[in-house]
Amino acid sequence: MDELLALQAELAKVQEAPSVNKLSEPNVIELVRKLVDLGLVDVLFTTNGKEYLTPKQLQNEVEDEILTHGGRVNITELPPILNVDLTHIERVLDALLKKGRDGLQNVNGELITSYYLDSLAEEINSSLQGAGRLTLGDLAVQHNLTTEFMQNLVERRLGSLIDAKLSGGTLYTAAYVARHTARVRGAVSALARPVALTQLIKSHGFNEALFH
């Protein structure tokens, strides 16, 4: 970083000199490239080759974009936004993922943070309270995630951000379970003779998953 600042200062000094000593833009770019090749400065060129930045600055910009996108962004969206080749971004991401700040993880080519997952859990809970029940499969499709990932997300937040019962791959609200239980009790109390559970479930259309 110190070398880069020194280089910028020297270039600025040259550019402020009389025009006979000034470097053209192509000359400056070529000079910086040679310094990079010699390992004297550690900078990355932008896609158009007219600007450069340090790996640390690129890391900061990647983190800013993740935050701007609410904690979830596809890696392929970053190169055109940052004007930097994907290979440079991937190297920066390796360092960020190792740090694990904000629970950052790469999920099928998307960068996802824990605060995004918490926000998603709150959204799921809000929808669930209105619907009564939601399947993990439907939620996974709706939010473009695998069912396995959605299940892991939900299980970790049950009882905290998600107020529900999870059974047979479906989320149920307490009110839904209570209504179901009341129906079952009513059906059982009306029985005149013993009946197999499977027959009771079939004849009354009960949700078998809530018996487990």
Side-chain angles (χ1 to χ4, degrees):
M1 188 65 180
D2 291 340
E3 292 89 346
L4 177 59
L5 292 175
L7 174 61
Q8 290 174 330
E10 286 297 322
L11 290 174
K13 187 182 299 183
V14 170
Q15 296 302 82
E16 290 172 359
S19 58
V20 68
N21 295 325
K22 284 187 177 180
L23 294 172
S24 66
E25 183 177 290
N27 291 146
V28 172
I29 293 172
E30 183 61 25
L31 174 59
V32 174
R33 286 191 184 280
K34 287 188 178 298
L35 291 172
V36 171
D37 291 340
L38 291 171
L40 298 177
V41 293
D42 185 14
V43 295
L44 309 172
F45 278 90
T46 54
T47 306
N48 60 19
K50 294 184 177 182
E51 298 176 309
Y52 50 87
L53 70 167
T54 64
K56 178 59 179 174
Q57 178 60 30
L58 178 57
Q59 179 176 312
N60 291 340
E61 292 187 13
V62 169
E63 289 180 310
D64 287 345
E65 284 303 320
I66 294 172
L67 184 61
T68 299
H69 283 77
R72 180 180 182 180
V73 60
N74 195 301
I75 295 173
T76 58
E77 293 180 27
L78 295 176
I81 294 174
L82 301 176
N83 195 26
V84 176
D85 285 339
L86 181 59
T87 52
H88 297 319
I89 292 174
E90 288 176 335
R91 280 196 288 269
V92 165
L93 287 178
D94 285 342
L96 288 176
L97 290 168
K98 286 177 182 177
K99 285 170 57 178
R101 182 180 175 184
D102 293 324
L104 184 67
Q105 55 185 311
N106 182 344
V107 181
N108 298 325
E110 288 190 294
L111 298 172
I112 295 180
T113 63
S114 56
Y115 61 80
Y116 166 80
L117 297 179
D118 288 343
S119 175
L120 179 56
E122 291 174 349
E123 180 183 333
I124 289 171
N125 186 63
S126 178
S127 298
L128 176 64
Q129 299 311 314
R133 67 174 180 173
L134 294 171
T135 69
L136 296 182
D138 287 344
L139 289 171
V141 171
Q142 181 183 347
H143 298 286
N144 196 27
L145 295 167
T146 65
T147 301
E148 181 181 0
F149 187 89
M150 180 59 69
Q151 181 168 342
N152 182 266
L153 181 164
V154 167
E155 288 178 343
R156 291 189 176 196
R157 292 163 178 81
L158 278 177
S160 54
L161 296 176
I162 300 177
D163 182 16
K165 171 184 174 67
L166 177 61
S167 180
T170 302
L171 287 168
Y172 303 91
T173 62
Y176 183 96
V177 173
R179 289 195 300 271
H180 186 271
T181 301
R183 287 181 58 216
V184 172
R185 285 176 177 169
V188 171
S189 63
L191 292 176
R193 58 185 176 80
V195 175
L197 180 59
T198 54
Q199 183 180 342
L200 183 68
I201 291 173
K202 183 177 181 180
S203 61
H204 291 274
F206 292 139
N207 191 323
E208 186 174 359
L210 292 179
F211 283 85
H212 303 289

